[in-house]
């Protein structure tokens, strides 16, 4: 018989505010907490047991935990039952975690499915977060008052990923659209549709945009269409990354590097001009989440459709593999 | 005067006038003692002084040198001479005195000596007496070694005539002595009495022993008579149809069984009687051989030790000889062959248990005891009707598959007795697994129901009654359950092989119609399974093993084909069958390169929990659902080519763009992602 965890998929990862713990959310509604600093600095040899979660708790059976976010005080979990906040103290203690607060988004469709939250980012204003939902909208939610402060409408299908930089927010959706929002303005500032370009589009994979990222000058996006770099001011395509993939789910502009992953055997660490610095072989079939931190220790964690999490401490090769069971 | 006297004495000496001289001496001696020495000394000094004076006068006169002077000189000379005579006398007295003093001293000394001597004698005597006294004190009498009854007891129990003088509180030494004597006498009489009693009792005992022997002889004579009576009643029993005789015969055979099989027989029989289940229980083999074996064992056990020693010696010789001449090799092989045969030989009797399922499938298990290896082996076979014609169905009903891995990891191909490896190596067999076809499987559970536990092995042959008792029920129940679920599986396989998906109970929710259909169902193998692209992960995680059963099903819709590599565990349905999928549509997709196929696999492999009651439909239900999932997969991934037949809201949803593989029984049925 196959253990159900054998088929587990990790949809989201996050670090705790101090970076000592790693939290993973999967498709079975489980939150798994790893004591990362102990795993990275082991006393003696690591056993298989050490590479499993310190503790686990279930929010609701078979609930997809699509997004996780860390604020100074709370672990924020975005799911189809709402946005749930857990106090980090409870998470680290390992007791059956108590819900600190919960925000349910209003149902707009008559559909019997609840609104799922696919992605979340912090606002520079304290207490505000932006959430990308599968009702095609992006909401700005005040987690202290539970109020929806603002709604960004501009997609015709569900939101895959959002990324925020100062006053600019970029979003990518199943409709193949990449919207760039100036948060001081009311409407979409500009938009890109990569699937409309023949050299970027991959018709067999679809037009969906799985990942977006932003820097001062550049927009990075990918999904069904190839991973591509666009100039923010002119909206000209300046780079198509030569990756062997069948769909991008993770992409990020970080310093002068580009991280990308998805349905591929590798996770890519590249320079902006397309030179591949490292191809990290991944344990999962498809990468759904990759997070990194510099402090207290340089760490890159990659997870996806596998119960395993790959950990790299130098962003170039796999150091350790953690497992949910 | 003195001078004269002296002269006189001298002359007297010469003349022998002793008396006068002696008298003088005696007188002088007395005088010397009476006179005071002090006065004599003064007198002496005065005389000397007078002499000196006279001599001085003479000197003066001489100087004058006249006649007158001369006269005076002679006068003076005379005076001086007289004084000298007086001096002499004094001197003599003194001498006497000192002699006398010396004599008296020596007399005193003698006295002291004698007193001292007397004293020493007395001391010695005292010492001697002392030692004598000690000797007396240390004297030990023989009576002290005798254990006597205590004083109080003696005073209480002895006749009064004896104890009367001693009932006083304070006793003199003499009385104490008497009392002791009395006690000793009393002790003596008592002991004599007891000795007599002892003798009497022993005689009685002898008498009783004699009686017992007599009675035993009588009873022995009774046995053959009873036997003849029994013999005589046999025809009557047969006439009346009573099974007493048969049972008796069976039990007689059971008594000849080796201990482990006897335990099995007894407890299986008990199980049969309690649960009235369709269990056949029989003892196979020749009873005469068993009788012979038993006798042989008894004699063999005695000589066993010597022989093993001999054997080792022989071996050493053999090795030496082999080195010398290789010619004898063939004979050694013969001997080895013989040894091997002896090592592997079973007990002449075996126990057969037949378990039947409702459908009439019978599982025959023959338990044999290999006494040299000290293990129980099982040869199994099954009998079924012609309804099970399909190859896959027959395979699943095979005895080995029915009994394999009845309990975790228990394949029965390794000997549970760790000592066997060495024994087998001795006769040139590498491992037990090569003997399985010849001897049967040595399942762990078979050892347990026969009361053998190799984990707590103390090399003595002890068979645990309680272990056997506890295991028989569990094992037989498990076997019956296993048989039933395998028959259920065989029924399903029978239909599947002709591409019919068997009907499924109403317990599970699933859509009634599917466009995709089962087009092929065949048996497969471990090696084929290994060739499936995504199988490595299953093998790596030890989810699938070599001893499982493998099938390949093909599900197709139009030009899209899906291969399902199905792994059925021996303990179906406790462990679900595992489906490993390979989709051949626009490339080859499997769980290693496609999340959608992985999700589909998850849906079919995980989350069926219906307990053991689902044996009859589980595999069929899984295949049926798989057909539906394939529809969903095709209709969501290529809506243009495949017309939508199932109901779902979204092709994909969530970060992982998941397909709707979750079925909800709402209306005609809806598929969603979560």
């Amino acid at each position: 018989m196959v253990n159900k965890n054998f088929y587990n998929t990790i949809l989201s990862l996050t670090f705790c505010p101090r970076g000592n713990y790693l939290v993973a959310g999967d498709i079975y509604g489980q939150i798994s907490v790893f004591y990362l600093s102990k795993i990275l600095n082991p006393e003696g040899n690591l056993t298989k047991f050490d590479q499993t979660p310190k503790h686990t708790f279930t929010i609701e059976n078979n609930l997809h935990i699509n997004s996780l976010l860390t604020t100074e005080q709370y672990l924020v979990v975005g799911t189809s039952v709402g946005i749930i906040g857990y106090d980090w103290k409870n998470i680290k203690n390992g007791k059956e975690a108590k819900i600190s607060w919960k925000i349910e988004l209003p149902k707009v469709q008559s559909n019997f499915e609840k609104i799922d939250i696919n992605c979340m980012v912090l606002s520079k204003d304290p207490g505000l977060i932006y959430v990308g939902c599968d009702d095609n909208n992006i909401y700005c939610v005040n987690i202290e008052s539970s109020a929806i402060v603002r709604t960004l409408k501009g997609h015709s299908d569900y939101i895959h990923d959002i990324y925020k930089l100062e006053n600019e927010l970029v979003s990518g959706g199943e409709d193949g659209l990449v919207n760039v929002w100036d948060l001081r303005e009311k409407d979409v500032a500009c938009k890109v549709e990569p699937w409309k370009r023949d050299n970027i589009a991959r018709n067999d994979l679809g037009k969906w945009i799985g990942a977006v990222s932003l820097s001062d000058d550049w927009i990075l996006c990918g999904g069904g269409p190839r991973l591509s770099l666009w100039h923010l001011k002119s909206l000209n395509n300046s780079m198509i990354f030569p990756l062997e993939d069948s769909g991008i789910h993770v992409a990020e502009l970080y310093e002068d590097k580009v991280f990308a992953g998805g349905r591929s055997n590798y996770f890519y660490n590249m320079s902006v001009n397309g030179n591949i610095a490292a191809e990290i072989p991944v344990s999962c079939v498809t990468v759904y989440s990759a997070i990194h931190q510099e402090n207290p220790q340089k760490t890159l964690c990659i997870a996806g459709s596998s119960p395993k999490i790959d950990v790299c401490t130098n962003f170039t090769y796999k150091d350790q593999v953690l497992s949910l069971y | 005067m003195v001078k004269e006297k002296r002269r006189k004495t001298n002359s007297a000496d010469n003349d022998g006038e002793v008396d006068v001289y002696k008298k003088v001496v005696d007188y002088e001696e007395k005088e010397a003692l009476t006179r005071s020495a002090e006065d004599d000394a003064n007198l002496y000094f005065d005389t000397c002084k007078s002499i000196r004076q006279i001599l001085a006068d003479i000197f003066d006169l001489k100087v004058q040198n006249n006649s007158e002077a001369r006269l005076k000189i002679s006068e003076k000379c005379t005076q001086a001479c007289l004084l000298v005579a007086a001096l002499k006398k004094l001197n003599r007295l003194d001498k006497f005195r000192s002699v006398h003093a010396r004599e008296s001293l020596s007399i005193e000394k003698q006295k002291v000596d004698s007193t001292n001597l007397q004293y020493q004698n007395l001391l010695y005597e005292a010492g001697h007496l002392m030692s004598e006294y000690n000797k007396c004190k240390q004297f030990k009498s023989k009576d002290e070694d005798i254990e006597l009854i205590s004083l109080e007891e003696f005073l209480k129990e002895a006749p009064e005539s004896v104890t009367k003088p001693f009932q006083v509180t304070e006793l003199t030494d003499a009385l104490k002595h008497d009392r002791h004597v009395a006690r000793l006498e009393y002790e003596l009489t008592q002991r004599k009495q007891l000795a007599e009693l002892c003798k009497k009792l022993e005689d009685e005992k002898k008498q009783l022993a004699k009686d017992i022997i007599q009675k035993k002889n009588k009873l022995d004579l009774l046995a053959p008579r009873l036997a003849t009576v029994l013999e005589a009643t046999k025809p009557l029993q047969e006439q009346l149809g009573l099974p007493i005789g048969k049972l008796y015969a069976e039990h007689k055979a059971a008594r000849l069984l080796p201990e482990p099989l006897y335990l099995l027989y007894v407890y299986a029989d008990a199980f049969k009687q309690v649960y009235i289940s369709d269990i056949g229980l029989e003892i196979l083999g020749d009873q005469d051989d068993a009788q012979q074996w038993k006798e042989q064992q008894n004699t063999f056990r005695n000589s066993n030790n010597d022989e093993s020693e001999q054997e080792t010696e022989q071996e050493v010789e053999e090795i030496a000889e082999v080195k010398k001449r290789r010619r004898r090799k063939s004979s050694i092989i013969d001997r080895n062959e013989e040894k091997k045969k002896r090592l592997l030989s079973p007990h002449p009797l075996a126990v057969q248990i037949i378990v039947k399922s409702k459908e009439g499938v019978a599982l025959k298990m023959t338990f044999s005891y290999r006494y040299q290896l000290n293990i129980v082996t099982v040869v199994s076979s099954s009998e079924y009707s012609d309804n099970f014609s399909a190859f896959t169905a027959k395979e699943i009903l095979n005895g080995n598959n029915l009994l394999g891995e009845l309990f975790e990891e228990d394949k029965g191909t390794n000997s549970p007795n760790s000592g066997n490896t060495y024994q087998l190596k001795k006769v040139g067999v590498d491992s037990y697994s090569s003997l399985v076809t010849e001897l049967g499987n040595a399942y762990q559970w078979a050892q347990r129901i026969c009361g053998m536990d190799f984990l707590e092995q103390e090399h003595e042959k002890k068979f645990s009654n309680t272990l056997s008792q506890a295991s028989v029920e569990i094992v037989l129940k498990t076997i019956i359950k296993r048989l039933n679920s395998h028959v259920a599986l065989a029924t399903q396989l029978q239909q599947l092989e002709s591409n019919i998906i068997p009907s499924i109970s109403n317990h599970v929710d699933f859509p009634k119609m599917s466009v995709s259909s089962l087009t092929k169902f065949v048996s497969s193998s471990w090696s084929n399974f290994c060739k499936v692209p995504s199988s490595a992960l299953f093998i790596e995680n030890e989810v699938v093993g070599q001893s499982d059963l493998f099938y390949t099903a093909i599900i197709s819709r139009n030009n899209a084909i899906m291969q399902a590599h199905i792994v059925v565990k021996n303990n179906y349905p406790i462990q679900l069958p595992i489906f490993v999928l390979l989709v051949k549509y626009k490339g080859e997709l499997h769980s290693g390169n496609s999340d959608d196929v992985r999700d589909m696999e998850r849906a079919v492999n995980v989350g069926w929990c219906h307990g053991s009651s689902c044996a009859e439909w589980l595999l069929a239900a899984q295949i049926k659902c798989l057909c539906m999932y394939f529809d969903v997969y095709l209709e969501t991934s290529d809506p243009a080519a495949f017309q939508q037949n199932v109901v779902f809201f979204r092709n994909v949803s969530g970060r992982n763009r998941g397909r709707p593989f979750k079925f909800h029984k709402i209306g005609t049925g809806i598929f969603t992602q979560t």
Side-chain angles (χ1 to χ4, degrees):
Chain A
M1 192 154 65
V2 183
N3 186 323
K4 77 169 191 177
N5 266 322
F6 179 82
Y7 282 114
N8 207 343
T9 291
I10 297 167
L11 293 173
S12 49
L13 293 171
T14 191
F15 296 114
C16 78
R18 303 280 163 275
N20 292 326
Y21 290 85
L22 172 69
V23 177
D26 59 31
I27 55 162
Y28 295 131
Q30 287 184 116
I31 297 279
S32 305
V33 183
F34 294 87
Y35 193 2
L36 195 61
S37 56
K38 196 181 159 196
I39 293 162
L40 293 176
N41 308 297
E43 303 159 2
N45 285 338
L46 274 179
T47 61
K48 220 178 162 187
F49 177 76
D50 290 326
Q51 291 170 327
T52 55
K54 189 165 162 270
H55 51 266
T56 323
F57 63 93
T58 306
I59 295 177
E60 191 185 308
N61 268 335
N62 295 330
L63 182 74
H64 287 201
I65 299 175
N66 274 321
S67 54
L68 290 169
L69 188 67
T70 298
T71 71
E72 201 49 41
Q73 195 186 350
Y74 300 108
L75 168 70
V76 184
V77 184
T79 68
S80 59
V81 297
I83 307 168
I84 306 171
Y86 293 93
D87 199 318
W88 273 111
K89 272 181 230 152
N90 292 335
I91 297 284
K92 290 174 187 171
N93 284 342
K95 290 173 210 149
E96 186 58 34
K98 218 177 73 197
I99 292 173
S100 300
W101 47 264
K102 186 171 173 181
I103 302 167
E104 280 181 49
L105 294 174
K107 269 190 193 176
V108 282
Q109 287 169 308
S110 54
N111 200 331
F112 84 104
E113 279 188 75
K114 290 169 184 164
I115 300 172
D116 204 352
I117 294 162
N118 285 340
C119 48
M120 295 189 287
V121 291
L122 280 174
S123 165
K124 65 176 181 199
D125 300 314
L128 290 185
I129 58 171
Y130 288 91
V131 296
C133 300
D134 69 352
D135 64 349
N136 312 348
N137 295 334
I138 301 163
Y139 298 100
C140 177
V141 181
N142 186 332
I143 60 172
E144 274 151 26
S145 66
S146 305
I148 293 175
V149 178
R150 194 176 169 192
T151 306
L152 304 176
K153 294 190 180 194
H155 283 280
S156 58
D157 206 336
Y158 72 87
I159 312 289
H160 265 288
D161 195 17
I162 55 178
Y163 190 88
K164 199 181 127 326
L165 192 81
E166 297 298 321
N167 288 317
E168 273 145 345
L169 186 135
V170 62
S171 61
E174 182 69 19
D175 55 1
L177 208 58
V178 178
N179 281 336
V180 183
W181 310 75
D182 186 335
L183 294 174
R184 292 163 296 195
E185 309 276 325
K186 196 172 174 251
D187 284 324
V188 179
C190 54
K191 60 180 182 180
V192 179
E193 284 174 291
W195 61 278
K196 287 189 172 163
R197 305 253 180 143
D198 287 343
N199 52 350
I200 300 178
R202 289 182 288 195
N203 290 330
D204 53 330
L205 294 177
K207 58 184 183 178
W208 56 278
I209 294 296
V212 289
S213 187
L214 201 63
S215 72
D216 291 335
D217 300 319
W218 305 101
I219 305 171
L220 178 72
C221 61
R226 292 179 209 281
L227 183 68
S228 52
L229 198 65
W230 302 73
H231 193 248
L232 185 55
K233 302 268 157 44
S234 63
L235 296 181
N236 281 333
N237 173 238
S238 63
M239 181 74 211
I240 301 169
F241 293 94
L243 305 182
E244 286 174 33
D245 71 287
S246 328
I248 298 290
H249 288 273
V250 172
E252 189 182 352
L253 281 163
Y254 175 65
E255 289 167 356
D256 54 349
K257 287 193 278 283
V258 172
F259 289 138
R263 168 69 281 285
S264 166
N265 297 331
Y266 301 99
F267 184 79
Y268 294 92
N269 175 356
M270 297 167 289
S271 64
V272 181
N273 56 22
N275 291 331
I276 294 174
E279 287 180 331
I280 302 163
V282 291
S283 309
C284 49
V285 180
T286 307
V287 175
Y288 288 122
S289 183
I291 55 168
H292 54 82
Q293 62 178 6
E294 292 287 342
N295 291 310
Q297 195 168 350
K298 196 170 173 183
T299 321
L300 170 66
C301 298
I302 306 162
S305 47
S306 153
K308 297 196 161 84
I309 302 173
D310 299 316
V311 180
C312 316
T313 49
N314 54 7
F315 298 176
T316 51
Y317 57 82
K318 189 152 72 179
D319 290 297
Q320 283 195 43
V321 180
L322 312 181
S323 176
L324 287 184
Y325 72 105
Chain B
M1 266 238 320
V2 181
K3 210 171 183 181
E4 257 172 63
K5 262 184 203 170
R6 167 109 354 142
R7 208 190 291 151
K8 271 178 191 171
T9 57
N10 282 348
S11 64
D13 260 354
N14 290 339
D15 293 344
E17 284 174 355
V18 187
D19 283 340
V20 182
Y21 182 69
K22 212 178 178 182
K23 270 179 194 167
V24 174
V25 172
D26 285 347
Y27 176 79
E28 275 193 344
E29 276 176 8
K30 272 176 202 163
E31 203 182 16
L33 290 174
T34 49
R35 287 175 69 107
S36 142
E38 202 106 326
D39 294 344
D40 278 357
N42 289 331
L43 190 63
Y44 186 84
F45 286 128
D46 290 343
T47 317
C48 282
K49 210 171 173 181
S50 317
I51 291 171
R52 232 172 268 139
Q53 189 62 47
I54 290 164
L55 285 175
D57 289 348
I58 290 169
F59 183 72
D60 288 339
L61 289 171
K62 276 234 174 144
V63 174
Q64 283 167 7
N65 211 11
N66 51 24
S67 58
E68 197 188 353
R70 266 181 218 135
L71 269 170
K72 276 188 182 170
I73 289 170
S74 66
E75 202 181 316
K76 291 272 180 179
C77 275
T78 322
Q79 274 177 359
C81 283
L82 283 173
L83 286 172
V84 168
L87 269 180
K88 262 194 165 173
K89 166 93 180 178
L90 286 171
N91 205 15
R92 219 159 44 236
L93 284 176
D94 200 41
K95 280 252 162 64
F96 267 122
R97 242 181 246 134
S98 72
V99 166
H100 181 75
R102 214 170 281 146
E103 272 172 1
S104 63
L105 176 71
S106 74
I107 285 166
E108 289 302 317
K109 261 193 185 158
Q110 260 176 353
K111 268 188 200 164
V112 169
D113 280 352
S114 75
T115 317
N116 215 3
L117 192 66
Q118 209 172 355
Y119 170 67
Q120 290 288 350
N121 277 339
L122 286 172
L123 269 185
Y124 176 72
E125 206 170 332
H128 183 70
L129 287 173
M130 205 64 192
S131 68
E132 284 290 306
Y133 170 74
N134 281 343
K135 248 187 226 164
C136 287
K137 268 215 135 175
Q138 280 161 6
F139 174 75
K140 290 232 190 279
S141 169
K142 264 196 176 171
D143 70 291
E144 283 169 35
D145 296 338
I146 299 170
E147 268 181 49
L148 293 177
I149 51 170
S150 74
L151 191 55
E152 291 80 24
E153 233 174 296
F154 166 70
L155 290 178
K156 231 195 261 172
E157 285 172 11
E160 210 179 316
S161 57
V162 184
T163 57
K164 205 177 178 188
F166 316 117
Q167 296 289 14
V168 214
T169 40
E170 278 185 27
L171 293 171
T172 58
D173 279 354
L175 262 178
K176 270 186 190 162
H177 178 75
D178 287 348
R179 186 183 62 189
H180 194 72
V181 172
R183 277 174 74 189
L184 285 171
E185 269 168 11
Y186 179 66
E187 183 75 24
L188 181 65
T189 53
Q190 291 259 298
R191 286 191 182 198
K192 272 181 184 165
Q193 278 170 14
L194 288 173
E196 234 166 78
L197 187 66
C198 173
K199 204 179 162 194
K200 219 163 94 189
L201 289 174
E202 235 153 51
D203 284 347
E204 250 173 69
K205 195 174 125 190
K206 267 181 201 164
Q207 190 59 43
L208 286 173
K210 242 185 225 170
D211 284 0
I212 289 168
I213 289 168
Q214 266 180 4
K215 283 182 183 164
K216 243 190 195 166
N217 285 339
K218 271 187 195 169
L219 282 175
D220 284 351
L221 286 172
L222 207 61
R225 272 188 225 171
L226 280 174
T228 52
V229 171
L230 266 179
E231 196 65 36
T233 57
K234 258 190 185 165
L236 184 66
Q237 275 182 30
E238 272 167 35
Q239 200 70 34
L240 295 173
L242 291 174
I244 306 166
K246 200 190 159 207
L247 268 179
Y248 174 74
E250 227 169 77
H251 288 179
K252 196 177 152 201
R255 215 160 298 147
L256 287 170
L257 284 171
E259 206 181 336
L261 292 183
Y262 180 73
L263 288 173
L264 171 65
Y265 180 80
V266 169
Y267 290 117
D269 193 43
F271 179 85
K272 181 180 159 185
Q273 282 172 22
V274 171
Y275 292 96
I276 326 171
S277 51
D278 257 347
I279 290 181
L281 189 62
E282 243 182 283
I283 295 172
L284 306 178
D286 188 7
Q287 289 189 22
D288 291 342
D289 284 352
Q291 189 67 46
Q292 221 172 356
W293 183 84
K294 202 170 187 179
E295 280 158 19
Q296 232 172 37
Q297 277 294 295
N298 284 337
T299 51
F300 182 69
R301 203 167 288 163
N302 299 333
S303 59
N304 196 10
N305 296 336
D306 309 340
E307 198 171 296
S308 66
E309 266 171 41
Q310 274 179 5
E311 235 169 75
T312 47
E313 266 173 42
Q314 255 180 15
E315 260 172 47
V316 172
E317 275 173 36
E318 274 169 22
I319 291 165
E321 276 171 29
V322 167
K323 277 180 185 167
K324 279 180 197 164
R325 340 172 250 177
R326 298 237 162 195
R327 248 178 277 166
R328 281 192 58 196
K329 209 175 174 184
S330 61
S331 74
I332 289 168
I333 288 172
D334 284 349
R335 203 185 298 171
N336 241 342
E337 210 48 48
E338 203 175 294
K339 262 192 216 165
K340 181 175 160 187
K341 209 172 159 191
R342 208 171 59 199
L343 183 66
L344 302 181
S345 58
H347 185 273
L349 292 186
V351 173
Q352 189 182 58
I353 299 180
I354 302 171
V355 182
K356 282 186 190 133
S357 80
K358 282 168 268 169
E359 288 80 359
V361 179
L363 169 65
K364 266 190 202 169
M365 295 171 281
T366 309
F367 295 82
S368 313
Y369 178 53
R370 315 269 158 189
Y371 53 90
Q372 288 273 15
L373 295 170
N374 191 26
I375 52 170
V376 170
T377 56
V378 185
V379 177
S380 55
S381 62
S382 52
E383 285 172 6
Y384 37 84
S385 65
D386 293 337
N387 292 342
F388 297 105
S389 55
F391 175 74
T392 49
K394 281 182 187 165
E395 188 187 14
I396 202 87
L397 291 176
N398 175 324
N400 280 339
N401 283 332
L402 279 168
L403 294 178
E405 290 187 285
L406 200 56
F407 297 96
E408 213 169 313
E409 300 273 302
D410 190 3
K411 292 174 192 154
T413 49
N414 290 323
S415 166
N417 186 351
S418 48
N420 286 355
T421 328
Y422 172 71
Q423 283 176 302
L424 291 173
K425 256 197 192 133
K426 237 169 140 185
V427 296
V429 180
D430 282 336
S431 71
Y432 183 80
S433 45
S434 59
L435 295 168
V436 167
T437 44
E438 194 181 331
L439 303 187
N441 295 57
Y443 298 111
Q444 299 270 7
W445 56 261
Q447 321 304 315
R448 277 206 310 278
I449 57 172
C450 292
M452 291 194 279
D453 190 353
F454 290 99
L455 291 178
E456 294 173 26
Q457 194 182 30
E458 291 165 25
H459 208 70
E460 273 178 47
K461 281 188 182 176
K462 274 193 179 163
F463 303 105
S464 159
N465 213 329
T466 46
L467 175 71
S468 171
Q469 192 179 7
S471 315
V472 164
E473 187 180 342
I474 302 166
V475 169
L476 284 181
K477 277 186 172 173
T478 317
I479 289 175
I480 291 169
K481 212 184 260 176
R482 165 69 64 89
L483 179 66
N484 284 330
S485 37
H486 271 232
V487 169
L489 191 59
T491 320
Q492 291 174 62
L493 290 169
Q494 173 74 31
Q495 293 184 53
L496 285 169
E497 208 172 298
S498 40
N499 299 340
I500 302 166
I501 299 180
S503 62
I504 300 159
S505 94
N506 295 324
H507 293 98
V508 245
D509 298 335
F510 60 90
K512 296 283 174 278
M513 290 295 293
S514 62
V515 182
S516 308
S517 58
L518 179 69
T519 51
K520 198 177 170 194
F521 189 92
V522 288
S523 174
S524 178
S525 65
W526 166 250
S527 55
N528 280 344
F529 179 77
C530 291
K531 286 177 202 154
V532 179
S534 57
S535 66
L537 201 58
F538 291 88
I539 296 162
E540 196 181 294
N541 277 286
E542 290 170 1
V543 180
V544 175
Q546 222 162 334
S547 61
D548 300 326
L549 295 162
F550 299 92
Y551 304 96
T552 306
I554 291 178
I555 294 169
S556 50
R557 175 169 171 179
N558 300 355
N559 57 341
I561 287 176
M562 174 164 67
Q563 280 182 9
H565 298 271
I566 306 168
V567 182
V568 178
K569 295 276 181 180
N570 263 327
N571 58 4
Y572 170 90
I574 299 162
Q575 281 191 301
L576 297 176
I578 296 166
F579 287 69
V580 178
L581 305 179
L582 182 63
V583 174
K584 289 186 176 169
Y585 178 68
K586 293 188 180 173
E588 283 199 3
L589 296 175
H590 50 81
S591 64
N593 66 8
S594 164
D595 267 3
D596 302 325
V597 178
R598 187 168 176 265
D599 286 349
M600 190 153 50
E601 239 179 66
R602 180 197 299 131
V604 75
N605 281 340
V606 173
W608 297 81
C609 24
H610 294 277
S612 57
S613 63
C614 59
E616 285 164 26
W617 48 262
L618 178 64
L619 183 65
Q622 278 183 303
I623 292 175
K624 182 89 183 162
C625 284
L626 194 59
C627 290
M628 295 306 308
Y629 295 145
F630 194 46
D631 278 349
V632 172
Y633 174 78
L634 292 174
E635 285 166 25
T636 51
S637 41
D638 199 349
F642 298 97
Q643 198 194 349
Q644 186 169 345
N645 180 57
V646 289
V647 184
F648 51 83
F649 298 118
R650 291 166 179 230
N651 287 13
V652 291
S653 89
R655 297 245 321 120
N656 57 343
R657 307 190 78 243
R659 308 295 174 95
F661 287 126
K662 179 120 183 158
F663 181 73
H664 300 272
K665 199 166 166 47
I666 299 170
T668 51
I670 303 170
F671 281 91
T672 64
Q673 268 80 358
T674 54

